Amino acid sequence: MYDISIIGGGPVGMFAAFYAGLRNADAHLIESLPRLGGQVSALYPEKDVYDVAGFPHIKAKQLVAELTDQLKEFAPAISLETTVQTITKEADGTFSIGTNRGTYRSKAVVIAIGNGAFAPRKLAFDYDHQLDERRVHYFINDLEDYRDTDVAVAGGGDSAIDWALALEPIAKSVTIIHRRDQFRGLESSVEKMKASSIQIMTPYLLSALTETNDRLTIDLKKARTKEDASITADHLIVNYGFTADARILRDWPIDIKGATIPVNTNMATSTDLIYAIGDVVDYPGKMQLIASGFGEAPVAITQALQEIYPERKQPLHSTSLIH
Ligand SMILES: Cc1cc2nc3c(=O)[nH]c(=O)nc-3n(C[C@H](O)[C@H](O)[C@H](O)COP(=O)(O)OP(=O)(O)OC[C@H]3O[C@@H](n4cnc5c(N)ncnc54)[C@H](O)[C@@H]3O)c2cc1C
């Protein structure tokens, strides 16, 4: 039984999990994606963020790296690729948290799901899904997995370009395939890509994938023409962005307002011991900013601990904690 389960491993959930550890709570952080960082990792890892206190500016992925280091300090339990489906209040007042990987028990819950569960946009045509994670990838975990291989990257946004550029010095070859002639990435990144050895195939749409002789054959159709093309590669990295789905909120035992959760000044929802923080909450003056969420996390954790352990002394300053 955990003291506090935090649903959503975006920046706000990560900081909440760290803060819960700082306050000696047994915390569990649950994230549906295979990696932490929420929108910051998934949507703009290469962008500079200018409004996080203490950093004049910081690259988004660096901010997630710093949050990860901070989080490790108290080693909370972290469940990745785990999507919370149900939250049930049991007769003893604790919660059962139902996920795609089993049920967890917790004394309190902090919801930090942002705009909802993220999922990568998949290829639109049918293909053999046994190729997933072996030859077709929707996430890159380690660039080294692609060393000396031929890699194709599908997509035309910042993230696709950034991955192509990051892979170029490591892979044997990198080909980027985009359905339009114009890329949507930062101009400087597009220029860097054009000046690099990355092969650019535009305007092409992917139409089929087959594996032959340990290689992937990627069939392409040139946009607005009947022209077909085909390339072979060891890996295909698909970077078509993410979808967010907050519909699950409707099944949880709390009042909601559209895709948001109304909270009071204690970050409490309509149900005792369920709190909400970050982009998902609604209160007068709410700003969907990382800094706002960082302020909400200590409030929710402190309130949860006060309710679970009313007898515990609640220190206010981290400088007064010995660890
Ligand atoms: C392009 C862009 C630029 C931005 N620039 C800035 C900026 O410069 N400064 C700034 O302060 N803010 C910026 N923001 C906003 C900022 O990213 C958000 O305010 C912040 O990410 C909110 O954090 P969060 O942890 O509340 O939610 P998210 O980052 O959305 O994280 C929520 C996490 O919860 C997970 N999740 C959802 N549902 C479930 C479930 N059922 N089970 C398990 N896990 C679940 C999701 O997969 C996700 O990882 C920007 C946003 C965008 C899109």
Side-chain angles (χ1 to χ4, degrees):
M1 169 85 69
Y2 293 102
D3 288 331
I4 304 179
S5 290
I6 297 146
I7 307 173
V12 178
M14 291 174 79
F15 184 60
F18 157 76
Y19 196 83
L22 184 76
R23 299 293 305 278
N24 240 349
D26 195 6
H28 183 203
L29 181 62
I30 308 172
E31 168 56 48
S32 59
L33 288 181
R35 68 174 56 156
L36 297 172
Q39 296 174 48
V40 184
S41 297
L43 303 182
Y44 56 101
E46 297 296 332
K47 291 214 159 75
D48 284 311
V49 182
Y50 295 88
D51 49 2
V52 175
F55 296 103
H57 57 87
I58 182 164
K59 209 170 261 302
K61 68 179 180 191
Q62 188 55 33
L63 176 62
V64 175
E66 302 285 353
L67 283 163
T68 306
D69 273 356
Q70 188 181 36
L71 187 60
K72 281 184 194 151
E73 188 118 343
F74 297 103
I78 300 176
S79 298
L80 297 175
E81 294 183 84
T82 306
T83 301
V84 173
Q85 290 149 344
T86 56
I87 303 175
T88 311
K89 194 158 192 163
E90 303 294 351
D92 64 356
T94 64
F95 296 93
S96 291
I97 299 173
T99 77
N100 56 324
R101 291 179 181 253
T103 301
Y104 301 98
R105 299 296 306 274
S106 192
K107 293 178 185 163
V109 177
V110 175
I111 301 172
I113 63 166
N115 297 324
F118 273 132
R121 267 200 195 93
K122 301 276 172 101
L123 289 168
F125 55 87
D126 213 15
Y127 67 94
D128 177 3
H129 286 283
Q130 287 184 5
L131 294 170
D132 286 350
E133 289 174 36
R134 202 163 48 81
R135 301 231 167 257
V136 180
H137 311 269
Y138 291 93
F139 292 98
I140 293 183
N141 289 319
D142 188 351
L143 287 172
E144 283 301 320
D145 295 342
Y146 303 90
R147 183 167 287 283
D148 299 328
T149 62
D150 295 315
V151 183
V153 178
D158 270 321
S159 179
I161 297 169
D162 290 341
W163 283 126
L165 285 169
L167 284 161
E168 190 222 15
I170 290 169
K172 201 196 300 171
S173 75
V174 178
T175 305
I176 190 162
I177 307 158
H178 182 38
R179 66 197 164 109
R180 296 210 173 89
D181 282 321
Q182 305 297 323
F183 284 88
R184 282 177 290 110
L186 280 178
E187 279 168 21
S188 56
S189 304
V190 176
E191 270 169 36
K192 207 165 154 194
M193 179 175 72
K194 286 183 175 163
S196 75
S197 69
I198 297 169
Q199 288 170 274
I200 300 176
M201 294 200 68
T202 60
Y204 279 100
L205 295 150
L206 277 73
S207 57
L209 292 179
T210 38
E211 192 181 33
T212 9
N213 300 332
D214 240 11
R215 295 269 290 177
L216 196 60
T217 301
I218 306 168
D219 292 334
L220 306 166
K221 280 200 187 309
K222 194 161 193 173
R224 295 178 301 277
T225 71
K226 289 204 161 66
E227 223 176 284
D228 290 332
S230 166
I231 62 166
T232 61
D234 297 302
H235 298 282
L236 169 67
I237 294 164
V238 182
N239 220 303
Y240 288 165
F242 289 83
T243 56
D245 186 356
R247 280 174 299 179
I248 196 87
L249 271 181
R250 297 180 205 156
D251 300 333
W252 293 355
I254 46 167
D255 290 346
I256 57 171
K257 187 174 152 195
T260 63
I261 306 172
V263 288
N264 65 16
T265 50
N266 289 341
M267 310 315 294
T269 69
S270 56
T271 299
D272 265 359
L273 286 162
I274 304 187
Y275 299 83
I277 54 176
D279 273 15
V280 74
V281 301
D282 179 58
Y283 55 79
K286 166 66 187 171
M287 292 174 86
Q288 290 191 328
L289 287 177
I290 298 163
S292 317
F294 284 174
E296 293 155 9
V299 177
I301 298 297
T302 304
Q303 293 300 323
L305 285 174
Q306 252 162 26
E307 273 205 64
I308 313 171
Y309 299 114
E311 70 290 354
R312 264 198 208 169
K313 198 170 166 280
Q314 303 284 344
L316 179 62
H317 299 135
S318 65
T319 45
S320 60
L321 295 167
I322 301 160
H323 70 275

